Amino acid sequence: YGDFHATLQPSKLSLDERVLRAQPLVLDAFEGRITANGHADLRDPQRASLKLAVNARGLQWRDAEGEQQVRGDADFGLAGKPEQWAAIGNARLQRGQDRAEVRLDGLGDRDGVRIRKLQATMPQGRLDATGTLAWTPRLAWKADAKLAGFDPGYFLPDWPGAIDGKLQSHGELRDGGALLAHVDAKSLGGSLRGRALSGRGTLDVDGDTYAGDVALALGASRIEAKGRIATNMQVDAKLAPLQLDDLLPDGRGTLRGSLQLRGARNTPDVTVDL
């Protein structure tokens, strides 16, 4: 599909009498191989069991120029009963001579999972996160993360850096499919793509109502935006300036100026000075 290519190797996957088995399921993708072995036996509620092991070897991904390459191996295991199960994961990422490690530790039941630890460590920094994800009675989440020199380049090779800050988010999918969510990024600092980074930002979503307040500095770019979009709109944004190559690896050019939106959502007044 496009540039993505995957090959399903000879595998065994069966579903019989509420028993799902993979013995094994083998998929070649990202220039490596992913293998899954395990079962989910739900025939007897009193004796139900879950056991799954997923191993990935030799996965590789590159930046847009094809120059920076990251190689990854990972192991993930899930075991227990639907009423109480545990999930453990470890990944090892290699970029040049540098290595990063990712660890996951979670406990779950029929209603959701509690992430006790999601940790990524690399030579120059780390990320530590905890949270909960529920799917009963409705989809809901809560997450807290602390970044101290965290380098996203191990996951997105086009975006290397060393980011400091705190991230928080919580929300739920309410009856009828309306989303209620809050995202807060505090005390952002460090660097991204070789450019100094600083700023903060909040975003609130309540169905069709959106509100946010963002102030971001990256390299020579300065972006400020604040507003609310509901039945009526009130949005103010200022670029002082925006260097497109600060935000987009292939970007060129500079934007400077302001944007204002006022009035009814379907017929707003627009004032632009760019």
Side-chain angles (χ1 to χ4, degrees), residues 146-208:
K146 182 178 180 181
L147 293 74
F150 172 69
D151 185 355
Y154 286 93
F155 308 91
L156 302 170
D158 285 305
W159 297 89
I163 302 176
D164 303 319
K166 295 180 180 180
L167 302 178
Q168 296 177 322
S169 178
H170 58 81
E172 64 179 41
L173 193 62
R174 296 178 294 185
D175 295 340
L179 177 65
L180 178 67
H182 173 76
V183 180
D184 190 1
K186 298 179 180 179
S187 306
L188 295 179
S191 64
L192 187 62
R193 296 182 54 243
R195 296 157 169 83
L197 170 69
S198 65
R200 55 167 179 79
T202 61
L203 173 65
D204 289 282
V205 180
D206 187 356
D208 291 332

Short mmCIF file of all heavy atoms in Angstrom, two decimals, residues 146-208:
data_model
loop_
_atom_site.label_atom_id
_atom_site.label_comp_id
_atom_site.label_asym_id
_atom_site.label_seq_id
_atom_site.Cartn_x
_atom_site.Cartn_y
_atom_site.Cartn_z
N LYS A 146 6.35 12.81 31.89
CA LYS A 146 7.41 13.78 32.16
C LYS A 146 8.55 13.50 31.20
O LYS A 146 9.02 12.37 31.08
CB LYS A 146 7.90 13.66 33.61
CG LYS A 146 8.96 14.67 33.98
CD LYS A 146 9.37 14.54 35.44
CE LYS A 146 10.45 15.57 35.80
NZ LYS A 146 10.86 15.42 37.24
N LEU A 147 8.99 14.55 30.51
CA LEU A 147 10.07 14.45 29.54
C LEU A 147 11.29 15.19 30.08
O LEU A 147 11.18 16.33 30.52
CB LEU A 147 9.68 15.04 28.19
CG LEU A 147 8.58 14.32 27.38
CD1 LEU A 147 7.20 14.56 27.99
CD2 LEU A 147 8.58 14.82 25.93
N ALA A 148 12.42 14.52 30.06
CA ALA A 148 13.68 15.13 30.51
C ALA A 148 14.75 14.79 29.49
O ALA A 148 15.36 13.72 29.55
CB ALA A 148 14.06 14.62 31.90
N GLY A 149 14.94 15.64 28.51
CA GLY A 149 15.90 15.37 27.45
C GLY A 149 15.44 14.28 26.50
O GLY A 149 16.27 13.67 25.80
N PHE A 150 14.14 14.02 26.42
CA PHE A 150 13.60 12.94 25.59
C PHE A 150 13.85 13.23 24.12
O PHE A 150 13.59 14.32 23.63
CB PHE A 150 12.10 12.80 25.85
CG PHE A 150 11.42 11.85 24.91
CD1 PHE A 150 11.66 10.49 24.97
CD2 PHE A 150 10.53 12.33 23.95
CE1 PHE A 150 11.02 9.62 24.11
CE2 PHE A 150 9.89 11.47 23.09
CZ PHE A 150 10.13 10.11 23.16
N ASP A 151 14.35 12.21 23.40
CA ASP A 151 14.66 12.34 21.98
C ASP A 151 13.62 11.59 21.15
O ASP A 151 13.64 10.36 21.08
CB ASP A 151 16.05 11.77 21.70
CG ASP A 151 16.49 11.98 20.26
OD1 ASP A 151 15.68 12.47 19.45
OD2 ASP A 151 17.65 11.65 19.94
N PRO A 152 12.68 12.29 20.50
CA PRO A 152 11.68 11.60 19.68
C PRO A 152 12.25 11.04 18.39
O PRO A 152 11.56 10.30 17.68
CB PRO A 152 10.65 12.70 19.40
CG PRO A 152 11.42 13.97 19.46
CD PRO A 152 12.47 13.75 20.51
N GLY A 153 13.50 11.34 18.08
CA GLY A 153 14.10 10.87 16.84
C GLY A 153 14.26 9.36 16.76
O GLY A 153 14.42 8.82 15.66
N TYR A 154 14.20 8.65 17.90
CA TYR A 154 14.25 7.19 17.86
C TYR A 154 12.94 6.62 17.29
O TYR A 154 12.93 5.50 16.80
CB TYR A 154 14.49 6.62 19.26
CG TYR A 154 15.91 6.79 19.74
CD1 TYR A 154 16.28 7.89 20.50
CD2 TYR A 154 16.87 5.84 19.43
CE1 TYR A 154 17.59 8.05 20.95
CE2 TYR A 154 18.18 5.97 19.89
CZ TYR A 154 18.53 7.08 20.64
OH TYR A 154 19.83 7.23 21.07
N PHE A 155 11.86 7.37 17.40
CA PHE A 155 10.57 6.92 16.90
C PHE A 155 10.20 7.62 15.59
O PHE A 155 9.58 7.01 14.71
CB PHE A 155 9.50 7.20 17.96
CG PHE A 155 9.85 6.64 19.31
CD1 PHE A 155 10.54 7.40 20.24
CD2 PHE A 155 9.52 5.34 19.65
CE1 PHE A 155 10.87 6.89 21.48
CE2 PHE A 155 9.85 4.81 20.88
CZ PHE A 155 10.54 5.59 21.80
N LEU A 156 10.57 8.90 15.46
CA LEU A 156 10.34 9.69 14.24
C LEU A 156 11.69 10.26 13.80
O LEU A 156 12.09 11.32 14.28
CB LEU A 156 9.34 10.82 14.52
CG LEU A 156 7.97 10.38 15.05
CD1 LEU A 156 7.17 11.59 15.51
CD2 LEU A 156 7.20 9.61 13.99
N PRO A 157 12.40 9.56 12.92
CA PRO A 157 13.77 9.98 12.59
C PRO A 157 13.89 11.40 12.05
O PRO A 157 14.98 11.99 12.12
CB PRO A 157 14.19 8.95 11.52
CG PRO A 157 13.36 7.75 11.81
CD PRO A 157 12.04 8.29 12.27
N ASP A 158 12.81 11.97 11.51
CA ASP A 158 12.88 13.34 11.01
C ASP A 158 12.82 14.38 12.13
O ASP A 158 12.98 15.57 11.87
CB ASP A 158 11.72 13.60 10.05
CG ASP A 158 11.94 12.94 8.69
OD1 ASP A 158 12.99 13.21 8.08
OD2 ASP A 158 11.08 12.16 8.25
N TRP A 159 12.60 13.93 13.38
CA TRP A 159 12.41 14.87 14.49
C TRP A 159 13.33 14.54 15.67
O TRP A 159 12.88 14.30 16.79
CB TRP A 159 10.95 14.83 14.94
CG TRP A 159 10.01 15.29 13.87
CD1 TRP A 159 9.43 14.51 12.91
CD2 TRP A 159 9.58 16.62 13.63
NE1 TRP A 159 8.66 15.29 12.09
CE2 TRP A 159 8.72 16.59 12.50
CE3 TRP A 159 9.83 17.85 14.26
CZ2 TRP A 159 8.13 17.73 11.99
CZ3 TRP A 159 9.22 18.99 13.75
CH2 TRP A 159 8.38 18.92 12.64
N PRO A 160 14.65 14.57 15.48
CA PRO A 160 15.55 14.36 16.61
C PRO A 160 15.54 15.57 17.54
O PRO A 160 15.25 16.70 17.13
CB PRO A 160 16.91 14.18 15.93
CG PRO A 160 16.80 15.01 14.68
CD PRO A 160 15.38 14.84 14.22
N GLY A 161 15.87 15.33 18.80
CA GLY A 161 15.93 16.45 19.73
C GLY A 161 16.18 16.00 21.14
O GLY A 161 16.53 14.84 21.41
N ALA A 162 15.98 16.92 22.07
CA ALA A 162 16.09 16.64 23.51
C ALA A 162 15.05 17.53 24.19
O ALA A 162 15.30 18.71 24.45
CB ALA A 162 17.49 16.95 24.02
N ILE A 163 13.86 16.98 24.44
CA ILE A 163 12.72 17.76 24.88
C ILE A 163 12.51 17.60 26.38
O ILE A 163 12.52 16.49 26.92
CB ILE A 163 11.44 17.33 24.13
CG1 ILE A 163 11.64 17.51 22.62
CG2 ILE A 163 10.24 18.14 24.59
CD1 ILE A 163 10.46 17.02 21.80
N ASP A 164 12.28 18.72 27.05
CA ASP A 164 11.88 18.75 28.45
C ASP A 164 10.42 19.21 28.53
O ASP A 164 9.95 19.97 27.69
CB ASP A 164 12.75 19.71 29.25
CG ASP A 164 14.23 19.38 29.15
OD1 ASP A 164 14.57 18.18 29.20
OD2 ASP A 164 15.04 20.32 29.03
N GLY A 165 9.73 18.76 29.57
CA GLY A 165 8.37 19.23 29.76
C GLY A 165 7.49 18.23 30.47
O GLY A 165 7.91 17.12 30.82
N LYS A 166 6.23 18.63 30.68
CA LYS A 166 5.23 17.77 31.29
C LYS A 166 4.00 17.75 30.40
O LYS A 166 3.55 18.80 29.91
CB LYS A 166 4.86 18.29 32.69
CG LYS A 166 6.00 18.25 33.69
CD LYS A 166 5.55 18.77 35.04
CE LYS A 166 6.70 18.73 36.05
NZ LYS A 166 6.26 19.24 37.39
N LEU A 167 3.44 16.56 30.20
CA LEU A 167 2.24 16.38 29.40
C LEU A 167 1.18 15.71 30.26
O LEU A 167 1.46 14.72 30.95
CB LEU A 167 2.53 15.52 28.16
CG LEU A 167 3.60 16.02 27.20
CD1 LEU A 167 3.78 15.02 26.07
CD2 LEU A 167 3.24 17.38 26.64
N GLN A 168 -0.03 16.22 30.17
CA GLN A 168 -1.16 15.63 30.87
C GLN A 168 -2.36 15.59 29.93
O GLN A 168 -2.57 16.52 29.14
CB GLN A 168 -1.53 16.43 32.12
CG GLN A 168 -0.44 16.46 33.19
CD GLN A 168 -0.84 17.32 34.38
OE1 GLN A 168 -1.45 18.37 34.23
NE2 GLN A 168 -0.49 16.87 35.57
N SER A 169 -3.15 14.52 30.04
CA SER A 169 -4.35 14.42 29.22
C SER A 169 -5.36 13.52 29.93
O SER A 169 -4.99 12.54 30.58
CB SER A 169 -4.02 13.85 27.84
OG SER A 169 -5.21 13.71 27.06
N HIS A 170 -6.63 13.88 29.78
CA HIS A 170 -7.71 13.01 30.26
C HIS A 170 -8.93 13.27 29.38
O HIS A 170 -9.06 14.32 28.75
CB HIS A 170 -8.02 13.24 31.73
CG HIS A 170 -8.43 14.66 32.06
ND1 HIS A 170 -9.70 15.15 31.86
CD2 HIS A 170 -7.71 15.69 32.57
CE1 HIS A 170 -9.76 16.41 32.24
NE2 HIS A 170 -8.56 16.76 32.68
N GLY A 171 -9.80 12.28 29.34
CA GLY A 171 -10.99 12.45 28.53
C GLY A 171 -11.80 11.18 28.45
O GLY A 171 -11.45 10.15 29.03
N GLU A 172 -12.89 11.26 27.71
CA GLU A 172 -13.77 10.11 27.52
C GLU A 172 -14.60 10.30 26.27
O GLU A 172 -14.77 11.42 25.77
CB GLU A 172 -14.68 9.92 28.73
CG GLU A 172 -15.65 11.06 28.95
CD GLU A 172 -16.56 10.83 30.14
OE1 GLU A 172 -16.08 10.34 31.17
OE2 GLU A 172 -17.75 11.17 30.03
N LEU A 173 -15.09 9.18 25.76
CA LEU A 173 -16.01 9.19 24.63
C LEU A 173 -17.40 8.96 25.19
O LEU A 173 -17.72 7.86 25.64
CB LEU A 173 -15.64 8.10 23.62
CG LEU A 173 -16.30 8.16 22.25
CD1 LEU A 173 -15.92 9.45 21.53
CD2 LEU A 173 -15.91 6.95 21.41
N ARG A 174 -18.21 10.00 25.20
CA ARG A 174 -19.51 9.93 25.85
C ARG A 174 -20.55 9.25 24.98
O ARG A 174 -20.33 8.98 23.79
CB ARG A 174 -19.97 11.34 26.23
CG ARG A 174 -19.05 12.01 27.26
CD ARG A 174 -19.49 13.41 27.59
NE ARG A 174 -19.35 14.28 26.42
CZ ARG A 174 -19.57 15.60 26.46
NH1 ARG A 174 -19.92 16.17 27.58
NH2 ARG A 174 -19.42 16.32 25.38
N ASP A 175 -21.71 8.97 25.59
CA ASP A 175 -22.81 8.36 24.85
C ASP A 175 -23.15 9.23 23.64
O ASP A 175 -23.23 10.47 23.73
CB ASP A 175 -24.04 8.22 25.74
CG ASP A 175 -23.81 7.25 26.89
OD1 ASP A 175 -22.89 6.43 26.77
OD2 ASP A 175 -24.54 7.34 27.90
N GLY A 176 -23.36 8.59 22.50
CA GLY A 176 -23.61 9.32 21.27
C GLY A 176 -22.37 9.62 20.48
O GLY A 176 -22.44 10.17 19.38
N GLY A 177 -21.17 9.29 21.05
CA GLY A 177 -19.93 9.47 20.31
C GLY A 177 -19.27 10.81 20.50
O GLY A 177 -18.25 11.10 19.86
N ALA A 178 -19.80 11.68 21.38
CA ALA A 178 -19.18 13.00 21.60
C ALA A 178 -17.91 12.84 22.42
O ALA A 178 -17.88 12.12 23.42
CB ALA A 178 -20.16 13.93 22.29
N LEU A 179 -16.87 13.55 22.02
CA LEU A 179 -15.57 13.47 22.70
C LEU A 179 -15.44 14.59 23.72
O LEU A 179 -15.71 15.76 23.42
CB LEU A 179 -14.45 13.57 21.67
CG LEU A 179 -13.02 13.57 22.21
CD1 LEU A 179 -12.69 12.24 22.87
CD2 LEU A 179 -12.02 13.88 21.10
N LEU A 180 -15.00 14.23 24.92
CA LEU A 180 -14.65 15.20 25.95
C LEU A 180 -13.19 14.96 26.28
O LEU A 180 -12.81 13.88 26.74
CB LEU A 180 -15.52 15.01 27.19
CG LEU A 180 -15.22 15.93 28.38
CD1 LEU A 180 -15.55 17.37 28.03
CD2 LEU A 180 -16.00 15.48 29.61
N ALA A 181 -12.33 15.95 26.05
CA ALA A 181 -10.88 15.73 26.21
C ALA A 181 -10.18 17.01 26.64
O ALA A 181 -10.61 18.12 26.30
CB ALA A 181 -10.28 15.22 24.92
N HIS A 182 -9.11 16.82 27.38
CA HIS A 182 -8.25 17.92 27.80
C HIS A 182 -6.79 17.50 27.62
O HIS A 182 -6.40 16.39 28.01
CB HIS A 182 -8.49 18.27 29.27
CG HIS A 182 -7.52 19.27 29.82
ND1 HIS A 182 -7.59 20.62 29.54
CD2 HIS A 182 -6.43 19.11 30.62
CE1 HIS A 182 -6.61 21.25 30.15
NE2 HIS A 182 -5.88 20.36 30.81
N VAL A 183 -6.00 18.36 27.02
CA VAL A 183 -4.57 18.12 26.82
C VAL A 183 -3.82 19.36 27.31
O VAL A 183 -4.19 20.49 26.97
CB VAL A 183 -4.24 17.87 25.33
CG1 VAL A 183 -2.74 17.62 25.17
CG2 VAL A 183 -5.03 16.68 24.80
N ASP A 184 -2.78 19.14 28.10
CA ASP A 184 -2.02 20.24 28.68
C ASP A 184 -0.53 19.93 28.55
O ASP A 184 -0.07 18.89 29.02
CB ASP A 184 -2.40 20.41 30.15
CG ASP A 184 -1.82 21.69 30.75
OD1 ASP A 184 -1.15 22.45 30.03
OD2 ASP A 184 -2.06 21.93 31.95
N ALA A 185 0.20 20.80 27.89
CA ALA A 185 1.65 20.69 27.76
C ALA A 185 2.28 21.86 28.51
O ALA A 185 2.01 23.02 28.17
CB ALA A 185 2.07 20.69 26.30
N LYS A 186 3.11 21.56 29.51
CA LYS A 186 3.67 22.60 30.36
C LYS A 186 5.19 22.62 30.26
O LYS A 186 5.83 21.59 30.06
CB LYS A 186 3.28 22.36 31.82
CG LYS A 186 1.80 22.39 32.11
CD LYS A 186 1.54 22.11 33.58
CE LYS A 186 0.07 22.13 33.92
NZ LYS A 186 -0.19 21.83 35.34
N SER A 187 5.74 23.80 30.44
CA SER A 187 7.18 24.00 30.62
C SER A 187 8.00 23.30 29.54
O SER A 187 9.01 22.66 29.82
CB SER A 187 7.62 23.49 32.00
OG SER A 187 6.85 24.09 33.02
N LEU A 188 7.56 23.41 28.29
CA LEU A 188 8.32 22.80 27.21
C LEU A 188 9.65 23.51 27.04
O LEU A 188 9.74 24.74 27.09
CB LEU A 188 7.52 22.87 25.91
CG LEU A 188 6.21 22.06 25.86
CD1 LEU A 188 5.52 22.24 24.51
CD2 LEU A 188 6.48 20.59 26.12
N GLY A 189 10.70 22.73 26.82
CA GLY A 189 12.02 23.30 26.64
C GLY A 189 12.93 22.31 25.94
O GLY A 189 12.51 21.24 25.52
N GLY A 190 14.20 22.68 25.80
CA GLY A 190 15.15 21.80 25.14
C GLY A 190 15.35 22.17 23.69
O GLY A 190 15.40 23.35 23.33
N SER A 191 15.42 21.15 22.84
CA SER A 191 15.66 21.39 21.42
C SER A 191 14.92 20.36 20.59
O SER A 191 14.60 19.26 21.05
CB SER A 191 17.16 21.33 21.12
OG SER A 191 17.67 20.02 21.36
N LEU A 192 14.67 20.72 19.33
CA LEU A 192 14.01 19.84 18.38
C LEU A 192 14.55 20.16 16.99
O LEU A 192 14.54 21.32 16.57
CB LEU A 192 12.50 20.05 18.42
CG LEU A 192 11.63 19.10 17.59
CD1 LEU A 192 11.81 17.66 18.07
CD2 LEU A 192 10.17 19.50 17.67
N ARG A 193 15.08 19.13 16.32
CA ARG A 193 15.67 19.29 14.99
C ARG A 193 16.76 20.37 14.99
O ARG A 193 16.86 21.16 14.07
CB ARG A 193 14.61 19.60 13.94
CG ARG A 193 13.59 18.49 13.74
CD ARG A 193 12.56 18.80 12.66
NE ARG A 193 13.22 19.14 11.44
CZ ARG A 193 13.12 20.33 10.83
NH1 ARG A 193 12.40 21.30 11.36
NH2 ARG A 193 13.75 20.56 9.71
N GLY A 194 17.54 20.40 16.08
CA GLY A 194 18.64 21.35 16.15
C GLY A 194 18.22 22.78 16.44
O GLY A 194 19.04 23.69 16.33
N ARG A 195 16.98 22.98 16.85
CA ARG A 195 16.46 24.31 17.12
C ARG A 195 16.00 24.40 18.57
O ARG A 195 15.40 23.46 19.07
CB ARG A 195 15.30 24.64 16.17
CG ARG A 195 15.71 24.71 14.70
CD ARG A 195 14.51 24.47 13.80
NE ARG A 195 14.80 24.78 12.40
CZ ARG A 195 15.39 23.96 11.56
NH1 ARG A 195 15.79 22.76 11.97
NH2 ARG A 195 15.60 24.31 10.30
N ALA A 196 16.25 25.53 19.20
CA ALA A 196 15.81 25.72 20.58
C ALA A 196 14.29 25.69 20.65
O ALA A 196 13.59 26.25 19.80
CB ALA A 196 16.33 27.05 21.11
N LEU A 197 13.76 25.01 21.69
CA LEU A 197 12.32 24.83 21.86
C LEU A 197 11.89 25.37 23.21
O LEU A 197 12.55 25.14 24.23
CB LEU A 197 11.96 23.35 21.76
CG LEU A 197 10.53 22.93 22.15
CD1 LEU A 197 9.54 23.47 21.14
CD2 LEU A 197 10.44 21.43 22.28
N SER A 198 10.77 26.08 23.23
CA SER A 198 10.16 26.51 24.49
C SER A 198 8.68 26.77 24.22
O SER A 198 8.28 27.04 23.09
CB SER A 198 10.83 27.77 25.05
OG SER A 198 10.64 28.86 24.19
N GLY A 199 7.89 26.67 25.30
CA GLY A 199 6.48 26.98 25.11
C GLY A 199 5.56 26.23 26.04
O GLY A 199 5.99 25.54 26.97
N ARG A 200 4.29 26.34 25.75
CA ARG A 200 3.22 25.70 26.51
C ARG A 200 2.00 25.63 25.61
O ARG A 200 1.93 26.26 24.56
CB ARG A 200 2.87 26.53 27.75
CG ARG A 200 2.51 27.97 27.39
CD ARG A 200 1.87 28.73 28.51
NE ARG A 200 1.57 30.10 28.09
CZ ARG A 200 0.53 30.44 27.35
NH1 ARG A 200 -0.33 29.51 26.93
NH2 ARG A 200 0.33 31.70 27.01
N GLY A 201 1.01 24.84 26.04
CA GLY A 201 -0.20 24.76 25.25
C GLY A 201 -1.28 23.97 25.97
O GLY A 201 -0.99 23.03 26.72
N THR A 202 -2.54 24.35 25.76
CA THR A 202 -3.69 23.60 26.27
C THR A 202 -4.72 23.47 25.16
O THR A 202 -4.83 24.34 24.29
CB THR A 202 -4.35 24.30 27.47
OG1 THR A 202 -4.82 25.60 27.07
CG2 THR A 202 -3.37 24.46 28.62
N LEU A 203 -5.44 22.37 25.19
CA LEU A 203 -6.53 22.14 24.24
C LEU A 203 -7.66 21.44 24.98
O LEU A 203 -7.44 20.45 25.69
CB LEU A 203 -6.06 21.26 23.08
CG LEU A 203 -7.15 20.80 22.10
CD1 LEU A 203 -7.75 22.00 21.37
CD2 LEU A 203 -6.61 19.78 21.12
N ASP A 204 -8.89 21.96 24.80
CA ASP A 204 -10.08 21.36 25.37
C ASP A 204 -11.08 21.08 24.26
O ASP A 204 -11.33 21.96 23.41
CB ASP A 204 -10.71 22.28 26.42
CG ASP A 204 -9.88 22.35 27.69
OD1 ASP A 204 -9.95 21.40 28.48
OD2 ASP A 204 -9.14 23.34 27.86
N VAL A 205 -11.62 19.87 24.28
CA VAL A 205 -12.63 19.47 23.31
C VAL A 205 -13.86 19.02 24.07
O VAL A 205 -13.77 18.19 24.98
CB VAL A 205 -12.12 18.32 22.41
CG1 VAL A 205 -13.19 17.92 21.40
CG2 VAL A 205 -10.83 18.72 21.71
N ASP A 206 -15.01 19.56 23.70
CA ASP A 206 -16.30 19.17 24.29
C ASP A 206 -17.31 19.05 23.17
O ASP A 206 -18.00 20.01 22.82
CB ASP A 206 -16.74 20.20 25.32
CG ASP A 206 -17.99 19.76 26.08
OD1 ASP A 206 -18.55 18.70 25.75
OD2 ASP A 206 -18.42 20.49 27.01
N GLY A 207 -17.37 17.86 22.56
CA GLY A 207 -18.24 17.68 21.40
C GLY A 207 -17.77 18.53 20.24
O GLY A 207 -16.65 18.38 19.76
N ASP A 208 -18.60 19.48 19.82
CA ASP A 208 -18.26 20.36 18.71
C ASP A 208 -17.66 21.69 19.18
O ASP A 208 -17.53 22.62 18.38
CB ASP A 208 -19.51 20.65 17.86
CG ASP A 208 -19.97 19.42 17.09
OD1 ASP A 208 -19.12 18.57 16.78
OD2 ASP A 208 -21.18 19.31 16.82
#
